Amino acid sequence: MTFVVVDNCIKCKYTDCVEVCPVDCFREGKNMLVIDPDECIDCNLCVPECPVDAIYAEDDLPENKKEFLDLNKRLAKKWPMITAMKPAPADADQWKTVPDKLQYLEE
């Protein structure tokens, strides 16, 4: 099992999760983070740290979010590792409650 970042993260990109990850499994895109499933050790430390509830255990992914498992796998291969917390985008709070943000993903 792995953990998966879903579209709640898009345009918010809070990095609280990165700070607690013991294995540096997060990868950073322009406006979203993903988890490298080959590095994730299923520790669950990141889940409660996410202020927008964007991280799910693979087995708990809602049906309408299943596509994010493959998206995380694919993007983790091309995006660089992030190992330290960074400031969120200036408009992150405005995006916190916006649903269905996949269309805004910048690969």
Side-chain angles (χ1 to χ4, degrees), residues 1-3 20-26 35-46:
M1 187 178 76
T2 186
F3 283 83
V20 299
C21 182
V23 294
D24 300 329
C25 69
F26 283 90
I35 292 174
D36 183 338
D38 294 332
E39 296 295 325
C40 180
I41 60 170
D42 310 328
C43 70
N44 196 41
L45 291 174
C46 58

Short mmCIF file of all heavy atoms in Angstrom, two decimals, residues 1-3 20-26 35-46:
data_model
loop_
_atom_site.label_atom_id
_atom_site.label_comp_id
_atom_site.label_asym_id
_atom_site.label_seq_id
_atom_site.Cartn_x
_atom_site.Cartn_y
_atom_site.Cartn_z
N MET A 1 0.84 -1.19 0.00
CA MET A 1 0.00 0.00 0.00
C MET A 1 0.88 1.25 0.00
O MET A 1 1.99 1.22 0.51
CB MET A 1 -0.91 0.00 1.23
CG MET A 1 -1.93 1.13 1.19
SD MET A 1 -3.05 1.14 2.59
CE MET A 1 -1.99 1.79 3.88
N THR A 2 0.36 2.30 -0.54
CA THR A 2 1.03 3.59 -0.53
C THR A 2 0.01 4.66 -0.18
O THR A 2 -1.19 4.38 -0.09
CB THR A 2 1.68 3.89 -1.89
OG1 THR A 2 2.46 5.09 -1.79
CG2 THR A 2 0.65 4.06 -2.99
N PHE A 3 0.48 5.85 -0.01
CA PHE A 3 -0.42 6.99 0.18
C PHE A 3 -0.43 7.79 -1.12
O PHE A 3 0.53 7.75 -1.89
CB PHE A 3 0.02 7.82 1.38
CG PHE A 3 -0.38 7.16 2.67
CD1 PHE A 3 0.40 6.17 3.22
CD2 PHE A 3 -1.56 7.51 3.30
CE1 PHE A 3 0.02 5.52 4.38
CE2 PHE A 3 -1.95 6.88 4.47
CZ PHE A 3 -1.16 5.88 5.01
N VAL A 20 7.22 16.09 7.87
CA VAL A 20 7.14 14.91 8.75
C VAL A 20 7.52 13.60 8.07
O VAL A 20 7.63 12.58 8.73
CB VAL A 20 5.74 14.78 9.38
CG1 VAL A 20 5.42 16.00 10.23
CG2 VAL A 20 4.68 14.55 8.33
N CYS A 21 7.73 13.63 6.77
CA CYS A 21 8.02 12.39 6.03
C CYS A 21 9.42 11.87 6.38
O CYS A 21 10.42 12.55 6.12
CB CYS A 21 7.90 12.63 4.53
SG CYS A 21 8.19 11.14 3.56
N PRO A 22 9.51 10.65 6.91
CA PRO A 22 10.82 10.13 7.30
C PRO A 22 11.65 9.59 6.13
O PRO A 22 12.84 9.32 6.30
CB PRO A 22 10.48 9.00 8.27
CG PRO A 22 9.14 8.53 7.84
CD PRO A 22 8.42 9.76 7.31
N VAL A 23 11.05 9.44 4.95
CA VAL A 23 11.77 8.84 3.82
C VAL A 23 11.83 9.74 2.59
O VAL A 23 12.26 9.30 1.52
CB VAL A 23 11.18 7.46 3.44
CG1 VAL A 23 11.39 6.47 4.55
CG2 VAL A 23 9.73 7.57 3.04
N ASP A 24 11.40 10.96 2.69
CA ASP A 24 11.46 11.90 1.57
C ASP A 24 10.78 11.35 0.32
O ASP A 24 11.37 11.31 -0.76
CB ASP A 24 12.91 12.28 1.26
CG ASP A 24 13.60 12.93 2.44
OD1 ASP A 24 12.91 13.61 3.23
OD2 ASP A 24 14.82 12.77 2.58
N CYS A 25 9.53 10.96 0.45
CA CYS A 25 8.82 10.38 -0.70
C CYS A 25 8.01 11.41 -1.49
O CYS A 25 7.42 11.08 -2.51
CB CYS A 25 7.91 9.24 -0.25
SG CYS A 25 6.50 9.74 0.72
N PHE A 26 8.01 12.67 -1.06
CA PHE A 26 7.23 13.69 -1.77
C PHE A 26 8.02 14.26 -2.95
O PHE A 26 9.23 14.44 -2.88
CB PHE A 26 6.82 14.82 -0.82
CG PHE A 26 5.67 14.42 0.06
CD1 PHE A 26 5.89 13.84 1.28
CD2 PHE A 26 4.36 14.59 -0.37
CE1 PHE A 26 4.84 13.45 2.09
CE2 PHE A 26 3.30 14.21 0.42
CZ PHE A 26 3.54 13.63 1.66
N ILE A 35 3.20 11.76 -4.15
CA ILE A 35 3.98 10.80 -3.37
C ILE A 35 4.54 9.75 -4.30
O ILE A 35 3.81 9.17 -5.12
CB ILE A 35 3.11 10.16 -2.28
CG1 ILE A 35 2.73 11.21 -1.24
CG2 ILE A 35 3.82 8.97 -1.64
CD1 ILE A 35 1.76 10.73 -0.18
N ASP A 36 5.82 9.47 -4.17
CA ASP A 36 6.46 8.41 -4.94
C ASP A 36 6.12 7.09 -4.25
O ASP A 36 6.56 6.83 -3.13
CB ASP A 36 7.97 8.62 -4.95
CG ASP A 36 8.71 7.59 -5.79
OD1 ASP A 36 8.15 6.49 -6.03
OD2 ASP A 36 9.85 7.88 -6.20
N PRO A 37 5.31 6.24 -4.90
CA PRO A 37 4.89 5.00 -4.25
C PRO A 37 6.05 4.02 -4.00
O PRO A 37 5.94 3.17 -3.13
CB PRO A 37 3.88 4.41 -5.24
CG PRO A 37 4.23 5.01 -6.55
CD PRO A 37 4.78 6.38 -6.25
N ASP A 38 7.14 4.17 -4.73
CA ASP A 38 8.29 3.30 -4.51
C ASP A 38 9.08 3.69 -3.27
O ASP A 38 9.88 2.90 -2.77
CB ASP A 38 9.22 3.31 -5.73
CG ASP A 38 8.56 2.71 -6.97
OD1 ASP A 38 7.68 1.84 -6.81
OD2 ASP A 38 8.91 3.13 -8.08
N GLU A 39 8.88 4.90 -2.79
CA GLU A 39 9.61 5.38 -1.61
C GLU A 39 8.73 5.38 -0.35
O GLU A 39 9.25 5.28 0.76
CB GLU A 39 10.13 6.80 -1.84
CG GLU A 39 11.15 6.91 -2.95
CD GLU A 39 12.44 6.17 -2.63
OE1 GLU A 39 12.85 6.13 -1.46
OE2 GLU A 39 13.02 5.61 -3.57
N CYS A 40 7.43 5.51 -0.51
CA CYS A 40 6.51 5.60 0.63
C CYS A 40 6.57 4.33 1.46
O CYS A 40 6.52 3.22 0.93
CB CYS A 40 5.09 5.84 0.12
SG CYS A 40 3.84 5.98 1.41
N ILE A 41 6.67 4.48 2.78
CA ILE A 41 6.72 3.33 3.68
C ILE A 41 5.42 3.15 4.46
O ILE A 41 5.36 2.43 5.45
CB ILE A 41 7.92 3.42 4.65
CG1 ILE A 41 7.83 4.68 5.52
CG2 ILE A 41 9.24 3.34 3.89
CD1 ILE A 41 8.83 4.72 6.67
N ASP A 42 4.38 3.83 4.03
CA ASP A 42 3.04 3.67 4.62
C ASP A 42 2.99 4.03 6.10
O ASP A 42 2.28 3.39 6.87
CB ASP A 42 2.52 2.24 4.43
CG ASP A 42 2.64 1.75 3.01
OD1 ASP A 42 2.52 2.58 2.09
OD2 ASP A 42 2.86 0.55 2.81
N CYS A 43 3.72 5.05 6.49
CA CYS A 43 3.79 5.40 7.91
C CYS A 43 2.60 6.22 8.40
O CYS A 43 2.36 6.30 9.59
CB CYS A 43 5.09 6.14 8.21
SG CYS A 43 5.16 7.80 7.50
N ASN A 44 1.88 6.86 7.48
CA ASN A 44 0.68 7.64 7.81
C ASN A 44 0.98 8.97 8.52
O ASN A 44 0.06 9.65 8.95
CB ASN A 44 -0.28 6.79 8.65
CG ASN A 44 -1.68 7.37 8.71
OD1 ASN A 44 -2.20 7.85 7.72
ND2 ASN A 44 -2.28 7.32 9.88
N LEU A 45 2.22 9.37 8.65
CA LEU A 45 2.53 10.61 9.35
C LEU A 45 2.05 11.84 8.59
O LEU A 45 1.71 12.86 9.18
CB LEU A 45 4.04 10.71 9.60
CG LEU A 45 4.61 9.73 10.61
CD1 LEU A 45 6.13 9.85 10.65
CD2 LEU A 45 4.01 9.96 11.98
N CYS A 46 2.01 11.75 7.28
CA CYS A 46 1.66 12.92 6.46
C CYS A 46 0.17 13.24 6.48
O CYS A 46 -0.23 14.39 6.36
CB CYS A 46 2.11 12.71 5.02
SG CYS A 46 1.43 11.23 4.22
#
